[in-house]
Amino acid sequence: MRLSIGVTDFSWPDKPTEELTAVAVAAEDAGLDTVWVADHLLQADPHSTADSPMLEAYTTLGFLAGRTARIGLGTMVSAVTFRPPALLVKAVTTLDVLSGGRARFGIGAGHHDGEARAMGLPFPPAGERLARVEETVRLALRMWAGDESPFEGEHYRLERLIGSPRPVRRPPILIGGAGERRTLRLVARYADACNVFDIPDGGRTVRDKLAVLARHCEEAGRPYADIEKTISTRLAPGEPAESFARRCEEFAGWGIDHAVVITAGPWPVAGVETLGRAAALVG
């Protein structure tokens, strides 16, 4: 079971740059897998408010790349409507090159229509957004493979897919969302990882979603085991490492490989250290 932190709240009251750096370094020192950051222009965490500080995701990840050496870096997840696809792929590629191969490519259809209206972002219907996710992932795979031939999709048309420099290694692709008809089918066809939510029903929903994913993998002729199953969950304030480790063991019983952990408010270093102890207990 791998453990990562998800940074969704940047409202440290004092010296936020130093606090963010300390959290990322603590995560690396604790042996955690990845620092994921939310990709929003407005604060979207339900425990915060829309006018709370929110940093742009790829600038933040580039900053953290210069202050860490090993830990993975990615977005959980980038809405496909935020950036033109070539710009998004270039941002992920640049992060991978400058971090020495540590980028993870998290992408999804997006969900925050209020943010889109407030910030002047496009927000087409869900079906179109999912179609754009598929085209963007196809573009990324071709650019990272060095295929410069024209791309003709329903929504994107590129004359030449120039991807220079190439990434150090192809960034793993995580497609966010658990829609059973389209999103999980996209995961089965293209992704290296999926992401489900920790819903308090004893794992019934998670197991059901993973069973659907397994069926889509069978239809696509792809081994289900090839896809990393991640779950987004919270570390409760004051929760001890032993308690969280027991939860991780339960997640593993549901078929989960990797827990991405957020917390209410900005991460404290002590909370990250708790996760490190939990990771050591889980193994």
Side-chain angles (χ1 to χ4, degrees):
M1 172 69 67
R2 286 178 288 280
L3 297 185
S4 296
I5 62 167
V7 181
T8 62
D9 192 320
F10 298 90
S11 60
W12 291 278
D14 299 313
K15 300 180 179 179
T17 302
E18 295 179 14
E19 295 283 3
L20 174 61
T21 300
V23 164
V25 170
E28 180 163 273
D29 290 345
L32 302 186
D33 186 86
T34 300
V35 174
W36 302 91
V37 300
D39 191 3
H40 286 284
L41 301 185
L42 298 178
Q43 178 55 254
D45 191 306
H47 290 81
S48 186
T49 59
D51 58 354
S52 183
M54 192 69 207
L55 299 180
E56 194 279 324
Y58 286 98
T59 310
T60 301
L61 292 172
F63 171 82
L64 294 178
R67 283 152 178 80
T68 55
R70 178 204 59 80
I71 199 162
L73 302 162
T75 57
M76 185 66 77
V77 292
S78 290
V80 71
T81 53
F82 276 17
R83 302 168 186 85
L87 175 60
L88 177 57
V89 175
K90 176 62 76 172
V92 177
T93 303
T94 300
L95 175 64
D96 194 73
V97 169
L98 297 182
S99 68
R102 294 187 281 141
R104 282 81 166 115
F105 181 29
I107 186 169
H111 65 93
H112 199 331
D113 57 340
E115 177 183 42
R117 292 194 304 271
M119 304 301 285
L121 298 170
F123 196 78
E128 179 180 330
R129 300 199 310 275
L130 284 166
R132 290 178 181 270
V133 168
E134 180 172 10
E135 290 189 16
T136 299
V137 171
R138 288 169 49 206
L139 279 164
L141 291 170
R142 285 181 49 181
M143 290 178 73
W144 289 335
D147 181 352
E148 297 186 4
S149 60
F151 181 90
E152 290 286 340
E154 180 182 357
H155 301 287
Y156 302 120
R157 294 169 179 80
L158 284 74
E159 291 184 0
R160 186 179 174 197
L161 303 182
I162 301 175
S164 180
R166 301 269 290 279
V168 175
R169 51 129 195 190
R170 182 179 71 73
I173 298 170
L174 182 150
I175 296 179
E180 297 183 5
R181 293 178 57 199
R182 295 194 61 180
T183 305
L184 292 179
R185 182 175 282 112
L186 290 179
V187 171
R189 291 188 63 187
Y190 300 106
D192 302 291
C194 67
N195 182 252
V196 296
F197 292 101
D198 181 11
I199 297 171
D201 63 0
R204 180 182 56 81
T205 297
V206 170
R207 289 192 295 267
D208 287 349
K209 297 293 184 182
L210 295 184
V212 171
L213 176 60
R215 291 196 295 272
H216 287 316
C217 286
E218 183 177 5
E219 293 168 2
R222 184 177 180 195
Y224 173 69
D226 284 357
I227 297 172
E228 183 179 43
K229 293 81 178 176
T230 78
I231 189 168
S232 291
T233 189
R234 286 186 181 269
L235 180 71
E239 183 175 3
E242 294 78 9
S243 171
F244 192 81
R246 287 193 294 272
R247 285 211 278 141
C248 288
E249 291 169 355
E250 188 174 20
F251 295 155
W254 302 345
I256 295 296
D257 307 306
H258 185 162
V260 179
V261 189
I262 61 176
T263 191
W267 268 105
V269 168
V272 177
E273 292 171 344
T274 295
L275 286 187
R277 293 193 296 273
L281 291 169
V282 173

